[in-house]
């Protein structure tokens, strides 16, 4: 019998006259879809010349509108595509080739987009690509979504349209032309052929105009030297894969020296093959990435480095320039002899800011006929002229400059004489700054033009001679921005769009059947350089004589440098980079003065750890040429040359910065004459500074099975069982290899895919690109300085750095094994807490080891962590109740606990706390909440995507097709990921290598991550 009972969902339904109920019954979507807000003017759409990457103009979900709508309240209006682009398949990523060229970093890259949002940077792995994305390049995608970006142009601090800006600047240019006033274009290095043409056109239209190129971190002396010898303002390029002996004098070849990107070639020679590997000797003041990876590191003051360079020049060329004696002279002369013996297989580089030193570098490599030395295809990514910039400041102060137009520079922050620049800026009749943010300079100019991010822009770049790259937009501009190039076209009366101008120029460059579309698809085009660079007759002997006269000006020698994470500071508001631990000091959220232990004791400077493990240090005052920098924190740095101190540029910014990111001190104030070495006075200041340091380990100590290393001689002459010792356990009172003993029942893992990750300690340089790539791929939260200080950092991947307490790790082992008896052992290990004055360094990336016999899985009371068929250790976040038993039972300490909710929490005001910043989140990975454990998943979303792609295409997965975020980001080739069940795969072959070992193998966890013994070429 049917029931007549009436069911209702709300009290309102009982009111028969309710208009609300009737409306809801007949219309599911009560509010109209606001298509007009999204689509805009139809005429504008039909005449648009933009490409498929601008599809958001044609679809409903405009990024800019979404970010604005999200501020209106809890109701988020979401509408479908009006006409869905055929390239967009919901849930499937698209990749676009582009090039980053921000004036400091230059690289061919791929951008991963999801539903129109760029969310990740990948390396462009096509042959001949100038790739090698570092940590900053990987983090640059987050800078696109910086909520403090300049969203609209401003005139005198008030919002203005581009028409207003155009009219004002055009009038100023006309006035300058009529009065003969000087017009200056001040830009960073753009290395853009099409922009160079536009600037030439602009100067032709404005005869009193000139172009000045300014790099915040100058390579002016190296450029001057190369121009003197080869007639072109550029930098010699190097291919370290062709070198057997590498000698570096003050050049961090694995850091930012000459734009970086050398680690791939370097690593090729560092992996022992056929009994051989390259030998690297580093002469430097600060402990750098290059010094940490060198076989032999010789700490020296900058003055001594100059003298050492002359000594090497004497040995290589047969000259006899008299030089003073230097510390470690025997080691320097030995390095010179090894370099000479290597001849064409040797190469010398230098980062000294001295034109004479750079001339000697060119002379030495020419004398060696170094194969790694490439003057015919020089780098074009540093063009700054320190003398021209100094002259500009003088002209501005005298009132000679009528109109100043700046692009991609922030001299009010980066110039050491910023006060003089500001004084001159006030005398300039019209000042214009194209800027991503209302930074220190843009806030002081009459006109601040909102510039687009490189991911919103068209452009071209010539990284090296003969190599032409294209930058293309991967998203519609988020704000009302205008490219510098578009403005130049408008100011020269050219009605063409920059895209059309660029396309015409790019089409003229490509040849051999290549098209514009192929150029944009690949991201670059290579034109063979047929004419070798010339070689002028330069008086190298005079340069050597002048360099030999270099003298210490007294006091300590300050060496300014750029950190791998922060660079020149233009991305200082990027929380990924602020929380990125420095590879050497393992400190994040700070810059600091590094000082040797001897000098620290003289000055009364200290470092100490407090009860919760946090690191504290003294404050200091640094004075250079009458300029004081106060309250600079101190880190006592093992390996710092006695008589020198180091300080990183790029910190201390205040304008257009979130409060949490306003950290550190501005070292540019000490960058006098744009020289990285300065004579400084240091004194202790009151108070102690609290650091956020993520690693307390200072020695190898008893952890010989964590870092395994040997020498090339032993590697070549001894059996692997001697230098890659297999741990043994007792079985029936007999020593038995640990791999032969198992208390677990094992599964058949030979069926299907089984993933392994190989990490070669010889190839890993500690650069940290993998750390930022992991952040981007897996939505790893930023927790801030105070939480990092409490050891609550959330990095899924850490790069441990170990120092030796003796001069070598071998000395550590001998000292440790020589200890006997309780008291002697205590004294020995206590002494080993202090690193050597010049320690050897080892880097080791550590993430979840994905143990086949995982100790975390056995102790989880709710089965939140379990093992997958493909070798991955899974985390079911919804099951996790946060007991942390798994973290306690993990021998590798790789699990992270969410102490707080980091997403949408004003206590953690980073990118996850604003609507724009959250657009970088990867929709394939869950954003974790408070109270759960998380850790590396071996990027299961990436492996599954690869499997599904092959399935859709009806084929098997390629032998080396599998990738995870860290392996894809590793340009040195240290990390190789793949299916170990595919015996043809690279990872399967590496698993059989004699150098392969597992961490803590004796505990029987059987990890799916394995390492390769580090070999040093003594």
């Amino acid at each position: 019998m049917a029931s007549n009972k009436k069911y209702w969902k709300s009290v309102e339904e009982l009111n028969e006259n309710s208009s609300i109920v009737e409306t809801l019954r007949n219309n599911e979507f009560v509010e109209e879809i606001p298509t007009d807000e999204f689509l805009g003017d139809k005429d504008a759409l039909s005449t648009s010349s933009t490409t498929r990457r601008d599809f958001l103009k044609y679809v409903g979900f405009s990024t800019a509108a979404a970010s604005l709508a999200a501020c209106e309240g809890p109701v988020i209006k979401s509408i479908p595509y009006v006409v869905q682009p055929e390239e967009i398949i919901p849930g499937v990523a698209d990749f676009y080739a582009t090039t980053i060229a921000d004036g400091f970093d230059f690289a061919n890259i791929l951008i991963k987009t999801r539903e129109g949002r760029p969310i990740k940077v990948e390396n462009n792995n096509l042959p001949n690509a100038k790739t090698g994305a570092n940590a900053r390049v990987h983090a640059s995608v987050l800078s696109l979504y910086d909520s403090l970006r300049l969203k609209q142009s401003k005139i005198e601090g008030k919002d203005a349209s581009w028409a207003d800006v155009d009219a004002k600047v055009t009038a100023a240019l006309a006035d300058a032309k009529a009065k003969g006033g000087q017009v200056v274009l001040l830009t960073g290095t753009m290395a853009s052929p099409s922009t160079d043409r536009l600037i030439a056109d602009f100067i032709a239209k404005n005869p009193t105009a000139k172009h000045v190129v300014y790099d915040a971190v100058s390579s002016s002396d190296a450029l001057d030297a190369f121009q003197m010898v080869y007639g072109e303002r550029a930098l010699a390029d190097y291919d370290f894969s062709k070198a057997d002996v590498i000698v570096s004098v003050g050049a961090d070849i694995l850091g930012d020296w000459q734009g970086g990107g050398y680690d791939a070639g370097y690593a090729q020679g560092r992996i022992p093959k056929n009994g051989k590997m390259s030998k690297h000797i580093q002469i430097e003041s600060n402990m750098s990435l290059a010094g940490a990876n060198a076989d032999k590191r010789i700490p020296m003051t900058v003055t001594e480095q100059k003298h050492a360079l002359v000594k090497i020049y004497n040995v290589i060329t047969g000259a006899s320039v008299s030089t003073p004696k230097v510390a470690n002279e025997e080691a320097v002369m030995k390095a010179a002899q090894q370099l000479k013996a290597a001849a064409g297989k040797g190469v010398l580089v230098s980062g000294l800011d001295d034109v004479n030193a750079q001339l000697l570098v060119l002379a030495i490599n020419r004398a060696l006929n170094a194969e790694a030395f490439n003057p015919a295809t020089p780098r074009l990514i540093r063009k700054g002229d320190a003398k021209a910039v100094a002259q500009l400041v003088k002209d501005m102060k005298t009132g000679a400059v009528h109109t100043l137009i700046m692009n991609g520079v922030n001299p009010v922050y980066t110039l050491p004489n910023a006060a003089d620049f500001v004084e001159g800026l006030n005398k300039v009749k019209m000042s214009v700054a194209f800027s991503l943010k209302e930074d220190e300079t843009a806030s002081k100019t009459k006109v601040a033009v909102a510039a687009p991010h490189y991911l919103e822009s068209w452009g071209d770049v010539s990284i090296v001679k003969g190599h032409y790259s294209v930058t293309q937009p991967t998203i519609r501009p988020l704000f009302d921005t205008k490219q510098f190039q578009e403005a130049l076209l408008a100011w020269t009366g050219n009605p063409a769009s920059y895209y059309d101008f660029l396309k015409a120029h790019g089409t003229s460059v490509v040849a051999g059947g290549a098209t514009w579309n192929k150029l944009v698809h690949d991201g670059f085009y290579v034109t063979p350089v047929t004419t070798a660079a010339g070689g002028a007759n330069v008086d190298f002997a005079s340069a050597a004589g002048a360099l030999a006269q270099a003298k210490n000006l007294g006091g300590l020698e300050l060496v300014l440098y750029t950190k791998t994470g922060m660079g020149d500071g233009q991305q200082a508001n990027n929380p990924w980079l602020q929380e990125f631990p420095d590879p050497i000091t393992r400190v994040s959220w700070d810059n600091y003065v590094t000082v040797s232990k001897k000098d620290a004791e003289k000055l009364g400077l200290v470092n100490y750890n407090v009860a919760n493990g946090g690191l504290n240090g003294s404050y200091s005052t640094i004075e250079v040429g009458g300029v004081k920098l106060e309250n600079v924190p101190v880190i006592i740095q093992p390996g710092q040359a006695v008589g020198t101190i180091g300080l990183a540029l790029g910190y201390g910014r205040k304008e257009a910065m979130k409060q949490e990111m306003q950290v550190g001190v501005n070292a540019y104030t000490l960058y006098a004459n744009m020289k990285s070495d300065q004579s400084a006075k240091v004194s202790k200041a009151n108070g102690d500074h609290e650091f956020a340091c993520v690693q307390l380990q200072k020695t190898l100590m008893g952890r010989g099975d964590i870092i395994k290393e040997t020498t090339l001689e032993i590697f070549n002459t001894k059996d692997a069982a001697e230098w890659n010792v297999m741990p043994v356990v007792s079985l029936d009172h007999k020593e038995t290899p640990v791999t032969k003993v198992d208390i677990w029942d094992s599964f058949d893992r030979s069926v299907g895919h089984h993933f392994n990750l190989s990490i070669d300690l010889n190839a890993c340089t500690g650069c940290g690109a993998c750390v930022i790539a992991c952040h981007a791929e897996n939505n790893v939260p930023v927790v801030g300085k105070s939480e990092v200080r409490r050891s609550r950092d959330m990095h899924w991947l850490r790069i441990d750095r170990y120092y030796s307490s003796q001069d070598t790790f071998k000395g550590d082992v001998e000292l440790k094994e020589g200890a006997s008896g309780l008291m002697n052992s205590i004294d020995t290990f206590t002494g080993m807490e202090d690193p050597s004055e010049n320690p050897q360094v080892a880097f080791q990336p550590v993430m979840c080891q994905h143990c086949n016999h995982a100790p975390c899985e056995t102790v989880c009371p709710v089965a939140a962590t379990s093992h997958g068929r493909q070798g991955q250790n899974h985390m079911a976040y919804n099951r996790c109740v946060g007991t942390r038993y798994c973290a306690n039972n993990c021998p590798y300490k790789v699990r992270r606990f969410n102490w707080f909710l980091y997403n949408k929490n004003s206590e953690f005001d980073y990118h996850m706390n604003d609507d724009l910043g959250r657009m970088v989140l990867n929709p394939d990975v869950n954003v974790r909440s408070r109270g759960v454990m998380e850790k590396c998943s071996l990027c299961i979303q990436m492996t599954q995507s690869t499997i599904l792609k092959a399935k859709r295409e009806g084929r098997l997965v390629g032998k080396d097709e599998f990738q995870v975020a860290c392996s894809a980001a590793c340009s040195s080739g240290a990390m190789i990921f793949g299916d170990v069940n595919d015996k043809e795969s690279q990872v399967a072959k590496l698993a059989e290598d004699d150098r392969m070992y597992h961490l803590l193998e004796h505990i029987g966890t059987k990890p799916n991550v394995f390492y390769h013994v580090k070999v040093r070429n003594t």
Side-chain angles (χ1 to χ4, degrees), residues 396-409:
M396 289 168 62
K397 288 181 69 177
T398 59
V401 178
H402 181 285
T403 300
L404 176 65
I405 300 172
M406 295 174 280
N407 178 59
V409 293

Side-chain angles (χ1 to χ4, degrees), residues 548-862:
Q549 301 303 313
K551 289 183 172 60
N552 188 329
L553 299 178
L556 294 170
E557 291 187 354
L558 167 65
V559 181
L560 298 165
Y561 68 101
T562 55
K563 275 193 183 187
T564 306
M566 194 51 63
D568 63 351
Q570 59 182 291
Q571 290 195 73
N573 203 45
N574 191 313
W576 285 349
L577 294 178
Q578 289 283 8
E579 193 144 299
F580 173 72
D582 181 73
I584 302 298
T585 62
R586 308 293 289 136
V587 173
S588 61
W589 292 99
D590 261 315
N591 68 336
Y592 33 77
V593 60
T594 55
V595 60
S596 69
K597 187 176 181 181
K598 280 187 178 179
D599 289 327
E601 288 172 351
K602 287 179 185 177
L603 296 165
L605 304 172
V606 296
N607 281 157
Y608 61 94
N609 291 103
V610 294
N612 69 353
L615 178 68
N616 287 10
S618 304
Y619 280 116
S620 66
T621 299
I622 305 175
E623 184 177 350
V624 172
V627 178
K628 283 187 178 181
L629 194 57
E630 298 181 335
N631 293 326
V632 186
V634 173
I635 288 285
I636 299 173
Q637 176 61 56
Q640 183 77 34
V642 176
T644 70
I645 56 175
L647 182 61
L649 301 163
Y651 287 81
R653 292 190 59 183
K654 303 295 182 186
E655 297 293 329
M657 298 275 294
K658 286 192 174 183
Q659 183 66 38
E660 293 80 0
M661 258 74 85
Q662 295 180 25
V663 295
V665 295
N666 184 5
Y668 282 112
T669 58
L670 306 180
Y671 194 32
N673 301 314
M674 297 188 194
K675 301 285 187 185
S676 60
D677 56 293
Q678 304 286 337
S679 178
K681 295 178 182 176
V682 181
S683 58
K684 185 176 181 179
N686 294 327
D688 285 347
H689 183 77
E690 295 183 347
F691 291 102
C693 183
V694 297
Q695 179 160 318
L696 290 180
Q697 298 100 318
K698 298 182 178 64
T699 65
L700 190 64
M701 296 295 286
R703 309 179 74 186
D705 47 0
I706 293 285
I707 292 278
K708 288 188 178 184
E709 72 165 46
T710 187
T711 64
L712 184 62
E713 180 185 2
I714 293 174
F715 175 77
N716 288 332
T717 58
K718 304 286 187 180
D719 189 77
E722 294 190 41
W723 49 262
N724 188 7
V725 177
M726 172 63 70
V728 294
V729 294
S730 176
L731 179 66
D732 296 331
H733 306 290
K734 295 178 182 177
E735 286 191 347
T736 308
V738 70
T739 53
K740 304 295 184 184
V741 180
D742 204 343
I743 61 173
W744 291 64
D745 289 332
S746 291
F747 297 95
D748 179 11
R749 303 189 186 278
S750 62
V751 179
H753 301 296
H754 190 84
F755 299 121
N756 272 199
L757 176 63
S758 167
I759 302 176
D760 194 325
L761 298 181
N762 262 55
C764 177
T765 63
C767 71
C770 54
V771 175
I772 301 297
C774 177
H775 263 279
E777 177 66 32
N778 295 296
N779 302 334
V780 176
V782 172
V783 301
K785 181 176 180 178
S786 64
E787 291 299 295
V788 172
R789 183 172 165 81
R790 292 180 174 88
S791 303
R792 292 176 178 175
D793 62 288
M794 296 299 295
H795 295 101
W796 283 13
L797 164 61
R798 70 176 192 263
I799 302 181
D800 288 336
R801 180 267 300 128
Y802 294 96
Y803 291 141
S804 63
S805 65
Q806 302 298 297
D807 287 343
T808 65
F809 283 109
K810 182 183 177 183
D812 278 17
V813 174
E814 291 172 353
L815 182 66
K816 181 181 65 178
E817 291 179 346
S820 61
L822 177 61
M823 296 311 296
N824 182 249
S825 295
I826 291 173
D827 291 343
T828 299
F829 282 103
T830 302
M832 289 179 72
E833 287 288 346
D834 286 326
S836 164
E837 286 187 7
N838 183 26
Q840 279 190 341
V841 186
F843 295 108
Q844 184 176 53
V846 181
M847 67 293 289
C848 174
Q849 302 292 292
H850 294 273
C851 310
N852 286 322
H853 298 169
C856 56
E857 295 169 12
T858 57
V859 296
C860 181
V862 291

Side-chain angles (χ1 to χ4, degrees), residues 341-414:
K345 288 293 184 181
V347 68
L348 179 136
V349 295
S350 178
L352 295 174
D353 281 345
D354 188 302
V355 69
N356 293 315
Q358 295 299 332
L359 284 170
L360 293 196
V361 171
L362 301 176
I364 290 168
N365 286 318
R366 286 172 66 176
L368 289 170
N369 196 23
E371 295 177 21
F373 176 62
N374 301 326
T377 54
R379 290 192 165 203
L380 305 176
I381 58 174
R382 293 285 185 270
K383 288 294 183 74
D385 190 334
K387 297 185 184 70
V389 174
Q391 185 59 47
L392 171 63
V393 176
K394 289 179 183 176
D395 291 345
M396 289 168 62
K397 288 181 69 177
T398 59
V401 178
H402 181 285
T403 300
L404 176 65
I405 300 172
M406 295 174 280
N407 178 59
V409 293
N410 185 8
V412 175
Y413 164 64
T414 57

Side-chain angles (χ1 to χ4, degrees), residues 92-368:
V92 177
D94 283 322
F95 292 83
Y96 299 111
T98 190
T99 303
I100 183 173
D102 64 6
F104 193 71
D105 291 307
F106 297 79
N108 296 138
I109 53 177
L110 301 179
I111 299 297
K112 178 183 179 181
T113 67
R114 282 294 305 270
E115 288 76 52
R117 293 180 297 113
I119 62 171
K120 191 163 183 285
V121 173
E122 303 277 8
N123 283 309
N124 186 337
N125 291 321
L126 288 177
N128 299 316
K130 291 293 179 181
T131 190
N134 58 28
R136 292 185 302 275
V137 175
H138 280 283
S140 64
V141 69
L142 181 57
S143 294
L144 169 67
Y145 302 116
D146 188 339
S147 60
L148 296 184
R149 279 181 58 187
L150 187 57
K151 299 173 178 63
Q152 185 175 3
S153 298
K154 293 189 175 184
I155 297 176
E156 304 286 357
K158 297 179 180 178
D159 290 348
S161 67
W162 167 246
D164 296 335
V165 171
D166 189 26
K168 197 166 186 67
V169 176
T170 302
L173 291 173
D175 186 53
K177 194 171 185 178
K179 296 178 178 177
Q182 190 178 101
V183 177
V184 178
L185 297 178
L186 178 64
T187 74
T189 297
M190 293 181 286
S192 169
S194 67
T195 308
D196 289 343
R197 279 183 55 190
L198 287 173
I199 290 173
D201 292 345
F202 179 85
I203 293 174
K205 293 272 186 181
N206 300 276
T208 60
K210 67 176 181 178
H211 181 207
V212 177
V213 182
Y214 166 50
D215 292 330
V217 181
S218 178
S219 298
S220 198
D221 290 298
L223 291 165
D224 290 344
F226 191 88
Q227 189 169 20
M228 289 167 65
V229 177
Y230 294 103
E232 184 176 5
R233 194 165 181 78
L235 298 172
D237 201 13
Y238 296 87
D239 183 356
F240 293 112
S241 67
K242 297 178 180 177
D244 288 344
V245 176
I246 303 166
V247 177
S248 170
V249 182
D252 187 2
I253 59 176
L254 300 178
D256 295 330
W257 175 73
Q258 293 199 173
Y262 290 111
D263 44 353
Y266 174 85
Q268 286 182 41
R270 300 293 289 165
I271 299 173
K273 295 174 184 173
N274 303 318
K276 300 176 79 175
M277 62 180 284
S278 64
K279 185 173 181 65
H280 174 198
I281 301 147
Q282 184 79 10
I283 303 172
E284 64 182 7
S285 301
N286 300 340
M287 174 70 83
S288 68
L289 274 178
N293 283 277
D295 296 301
K296 176 70 176 176
R297 181 178 180 274
I298 308 172
M300 281 187 172
T301 65
V302 176
T303 305
E304 287 179 322
Q305 289 175 44
K306 294 176 180 179
H307 297 159
L309 189 56
V310 178
K311 292 177 186 293
I312 296 171
Y313 170 77
N314 285 343
V315 172
I316 301 300
T317 64
S320 54
V321 180
S322 177
T323 56
K325 190 175 179 63
V326 298
N328 297 307
E329 181 149 354
E330 184 180 341
V332 172
M333 298 309 292
K334 185 178 178 181
Q337 294 295 343
Q338 289 175 325
L339 191 61
K340 185 176 182 180
K345 288 293 184 181
V347 68
L348 179 136
V349 295
S350 178
L352 295 174
D353 281 345
D354 188 302
V355 69
N356 293 315
Q358 295 299 332
L359 284 170
L360 293 196
V361 171
L362 301 176
I364 290 168
N365 286 318
R366 286 172 66 176
L368 289 170

Side-chain angles (χ1 to χ4, degrees), residues 374-607:
N374 301 326
T377 54
R379 290 192 165 203
L380 305 176
I381 58 174
R382 293 285 185 270
K383 288 294 183 74
D385 190 334
K387 297 185 184 70
V389 174
Q391 185 59 47
L392 171 63
V393 176
K394 289 179 183 176
D395 291 345
M396 289 168 62
K397 288 181 69 177
T398 59
V401 178
H402 181 285
T403 300
L404 176 65
I405 300 172
M406 295 174 280
N407 178 59
V409 293
N410 185 8
V412 175
Y413 164 64
T414 57
L415 272 178
N417 56 335
D420 290 340
F421 183 87
V422 173
E423 181 186 338
L425 196 63
N426 292 330
K427 296 179 180 179
V428 172
K429 290 184 174 59
M430 172 54 66
S431 55
V432 183
F434 285 78
S435 178
L436 279 169
K437 308 179 74 174
E438 198 170 5
D439 56 26
E440 290 80 357
T441 301
S443 62
K444 286 182 169 55
T445 55
K446 292 180 173 64
V447 177
V449 182
H453 191 267
Y454 80 94
L455 293 177
E456 304 167 314
S457 310
W458 282 103
D460 60 355
V461 187
S462 191
I463 298 175
V464 298
K465 196 172 183 178
H467 195 281
Y468 183 76
S469 306
V470 170
T471 296
Q472 64 171 323
T474 58
I475 189 173
R476 176 189 180 188
L478 297 176
F479 308 113
D480 184 13
T481 54
K482 180 67 70 172
Q483 273 190 252
F484 176 63
Q485 292 86 349
E486 292 279 5
L488 287 180
L489 283 165
W491 296 336
T492 54
N494 192 330
S497 69
Y498 179 52
Y499 170 75
D500 292 333
F501 186 90
L502 176 67
K503 183 177 179 180
H505 181 82
T507 304
S508 70
V509 171
V510 298
T515 63
W516 167 252
N517 284 346
K518 179 167 176 55
L519 172 62
V520 173
H521 174 272
D522 293 351
F524 65 93
Y525 179 81
V526 179
T527 304
V529 178
T530 54
T531 307
N537 292 319
V538 177
D539 189 357
F540 293 115
S542 295
L547 197 64
Q549 301 303 313
K551 289 183 172 60
N552 188 329
L553 299 178
L556 294 170
E557 291 187 354
L558 167 65
V559 181
L560 298 165
Y561 68 101
T562 55
K563 275 193 183 187
T564 306
M566 194 51 63
D568 63 351
Q570 59 182 291
Q571 290 195 73
N573 203 45
N574 191 313
W576 285 349
L577 294 178
Q578 289 283 8
E579 193 144 299
F580 173 72
D582 181 73
I584 302 298
T585 62
R586 308 293 289 136
V587 173
S588 61
W589 292 99
D590 261 315
N591 68 336
Y592 33 77
V593 60
T594 55
V595 60
S596 69
K597 187 176 181 181
K598 280 187 178 179
D599 289 327
E601 288 172 351
K602 287 179 185 177
L603 296 165
L605 304 172
V606 296
N607 281 157

Side-chain angles (χ1 to χ4, degrees), residues 263 267 271 757-766 845 966-967 969-977 990 1010-1012:
D263 44 353
I271 299 173
L757 176 63
S758 167
I759 302 176
D760 194 325
L761 298 181
N762 262 55
C764 177
T765 63
C966 55
S967 66
C970 184
S971 54
S972 69
M975 292 183 175
I976 303 295
F977 178 80
L990 289 168
F1010 58 85
Y1011 295 78
H1012 289 263

